[in-house]
Amino acid sequence: MKTRTLVAMAGVTCVDSFNPGNPPRSNKRPAAAAADREVMLSSISPVTEPPDYRQHHVVGLRRRDILNALFIGGSVTLPGLGTIGRANAATSKKTSKTTSKKKVEADEEKKPSPITSITDPRLKNLATPIEGWQGTGLPNKSLSDAYQELVTYKDFISKDTQCEQLVLPLARWPDPILRKATKKVPLSIFEDRSKLDELKLLAKALRNTARRQNSAGLAARQCGIDASILFIERVEPSVQRRTSEGEGDVLEDNEGLFLVNPRVVERSPEDEMAYWKEDCSAFPRPYFTVPLYRDRIVTIEFEQLLSSLKSGDNKIDGKTAQMTLAGELGRRILHEMDHDRGVLIADYVESLDEMLSVDGNPFMMLIENCDGKHAQRRERAYSRPLEKATILT
């Protein structure tokens, strides 16, 4: 039997047998035709062996078997090359499923895990659908760290910068820092003149920040400071006050009041609570207001601080005072005291439908109830803790 070369594909020379009784048509003489075939073969087949001497001449393998393997289906095994072509349908389907499963698993690994906590760090600096409102990501700063940062800022502007120009950064929802309860200010600070001066400078900056925001009050927690300090604007003189020395006025500081470590020691009955609608500088105004109830009358104790007087120039700093509050002033102080507990007005929302949404996107509800614990936070917000009074009422 004679053979002739038909095609060379993928390094494999495919051969076909033919009946010598039916020779290929050619007008040329056999010698000329043979020479032409040699020229054609040299242009499509390797003339020399590859470096590994693995040129594969498969004699007797029919051309249609290889074509079927490559383009139609099935497979064929070639010496030295292994199996080529597509596997049978069952194997192909199994391989496809395995590949798809691996791709899905890879995609799942790339997807970020869902947020399941209102203190998740990924909520820092979060952009919201509300135009112009982006959350912050303030660090949790001690009094000492906050003071150093403030002094650095003051010196950066000018060493002659007036204290009235100093302000603190303000946290914006959904910054996780707003959810952290604060520590009590150590009373030993009032006995250390240097530390007390630092505290007074921070207090002035807290007041400046509140006034710049046109807020009636501000908690140090809202500025990322881990200390129970509140500033309350414009205290009415009609409020009943008592100091550790007995009856008398709690001195106001430039029409404002600083409260260090405020705590509630007495509340009016729960069935006499007053109804309010509140907003907060930590949330986008005026879009978000919350109806809620607060104590109609409340008695609080706190340590006093006068930022306008230098340390050692008064005997007021650090002295415990007691105030019985009602009306707007009582509401204002209770609101700021909530920040000390890590409680926000969003926690008072009764129905999640009352949360902010933009164009049907309930983004606020998805964040505030990401852990499914909004109901527990609401219960905590309405809890009415009391501490033991140190001044007789």
Side-chain angles (χ1 to χ4, degrees):
M1 179 183 292
K2 295 183 180 180
T3 63
R4 60 173 172 150
T5 300
L6 296 177
V7 64
M9 300 172 58
V12 179
T13 302
C14 304
V15 296
D16 191 18
S17 59
F18 67 96
N19 188 341
N22 297 305
R25 296 178 180 178
S26 174
N27 296 325
K28 296 183 180 181
R29 288 179 293 180
D36 289 344
R37 283 198 301 272
E38 290 298 326
V39 172
M40 182 172 62
L41 286 173
S42 66
S43 65
I44 62 174
S45 301
V47 177
T48 60
E49 297 288 346
D52 59 357
Y53 303 100
R54 292 177 60 188
Q55 182 177 0
H56 307 289
H57 298 278
V58 186
V59 180
L61 185 63
R62 297 186 62 81
R63 176 178 56 178
R64 69 170 178 270
D65 294 332
I66 294 180
L67 294 178
N68 287 344
L70 292 175
F71 304 113
I72 300 176
S75 61
V76 64
T77 301
L78 301 178
L81 284 182
T83 302
I84 66 171
R86 289 177 288 181
N88 57 50
T91 305
S92 178
K93 186 175 181 181
K94 182 178 180 181
T95 303
S96 177
K97 285 185 177 180
T98 303
T99 304
S100 298
K101 183 178 179 181
K102 289 182 178 179
K103 185 177 184 302
V104 170
E105 291 175 352
D107 290 342
E108 288 295 329
E109 291 179 359
K110 292 179 182 179
K111 289 182 181 178
S113 57
I115 292 177
T116 57
S117 170
I118 56 174
T119 58
D120 192 306
R122 288 174 293 177
L123 292 175
K124 292 182 177 182
N125 302 307
L126 185 73
T128 72
I130 301 176
E131 184 178 358
W133 185 268
Q134 178 170 338
T136 55
L138 300 187
N140 192 33
K141 295 172 287 190
S142 65
L143 281 171
S144 178
D145 290 341
Y147 172 76
Q148 291 299 327
E149 185 177 291
L150 192 63
V151 170
T152 301
Y153 171 70
K154 179 177 181 292
D155 291 344
F156 175 77
I157 298 175
S158 170
K159 292 185 180 296
D160 298 326
T161 299
Q162 297 298 315
C163 291
E164 286 70 20
Q165 296 176 275
L166 293 177
V167 293
L168 298 166
L170 197 61
R172 293 158 67 111
W173 180 90
D175 193 335
I177 197 67
L178 293 166
R179 294 295 185 171
K180 295 181 71 69
T182 59
K183 296 177 181 177
K184 297 286 188 182
V185 175
L187 298 183
S188 59
I189 284 183
F190 295 102
E191 300 171 2
D192 185 325
R193 186 161 184 166
S194 173
K195 293 293 183 183
L196 185 54
D197 284 338
E198 293 179 5
L199 184 62
K200 286 176 177 287
L201 184 63
L202 284 171
K204 291 176 182 178
L206 186 66
R207 179 178 58 200
N208 298 342
T209 307
R211 290 178 174 173
R212 179 169 294 190
Q213 294 292 323
N214 197 28
S215 295
L218 191 65
R221 166 48 75 212
Q222 292 176 265
C223 301
I225 302 174
D226 190 9
S228 179
I229 307 173
L230 311 181
F231 169 73
I232 304 298
E233 187 71 274
R234 301 183 183 87
V235 178
E236 295 89 13
S238 59
V239 176
Q240 180 184 345
R241 305 174 176 90
R242 181 178 296 175
T243 66
S244 55
E245 283 77 22
E247 290 289 345
D249 287 337
V250 174
L251 296 181
E252 297 176 19
D253 191 287
N254 190 21
E255 297 183 352
L257 178 68
F258 291 102
L259 296 84
V260 178
N261 301 334
R263 57 264 182 198
V264 177
V265 297
E266 189 176 354
R267 299 176 185 269
S268 56
E270 187 173 2
D271 58 2
E272 297 180 3
M273 295 180 76
Y275 174 84
W276 300 93
K277 291 193 74 172
E278 295 187 4
D279 60 12
C280 178
S281 59
F283 291 89
R285 290 169 168 168
Y287 306 109
F288 188 61
T289 58
V290 178
L292 51 79
Y293 291 89
R294 295 199 184 275
D295 296 307
R296 187 175 297 277
I297 302 174
V298 64
T299 299
I300 64 170
E301 286 187 357
F302 58 96
E303 276 65 63
Q304 299 180 82
L305 179 68
L306 297 179
S307 65
S308 61
L309 299 177
K310 292 183 178 180
S311 302
D313 291 347
N314 70 84
K315 297 182 179 180
I316 301 299
D317 292 328
K319 298 298 181 182
T320 302
Q322 187 183 95
M323 297 174 64
T324 299
L325 310 164
E328 167 61 20
L329 181 58
R331 181 209 66 77
R332 196 183 306 167
I333 290 180
L334 289 174
H335 176 110
E336 301 306 332
M337 288 179 67
D338 273 349
H339 285 293
D340 275 355
R341 299 193 294 153
V343 172
L344 303 177
I345 58 173
D347 296 335
Y348 288 93
V349 173
E350 182 175 5
S351 172
L352 292 173
D353 293 337
E354 298 174 27
M355 299 283 187
L356 284 178
S357 63
V358 175
D359 296 331
N361 176 10
F363 69 98
M364 190 174 191
M365 178 194 72
L366 296 176
I367 293 174
E368 286 297 314
N369 199 41
C370 63
D371 54 1
K373 295 181 179 180
H374 173 74
Q376 290 93 316
R377 283 190 288 276
R378 185 170 188 268
E379 184 177 349
R380 178 172 176 265
Y382 272 113
S383 64
R384 307 170 76 232
L386 287 175
E387 294 191 29
K388 186 176 180 180
T390 60
I391 300 175
L392 295 178
T393 58

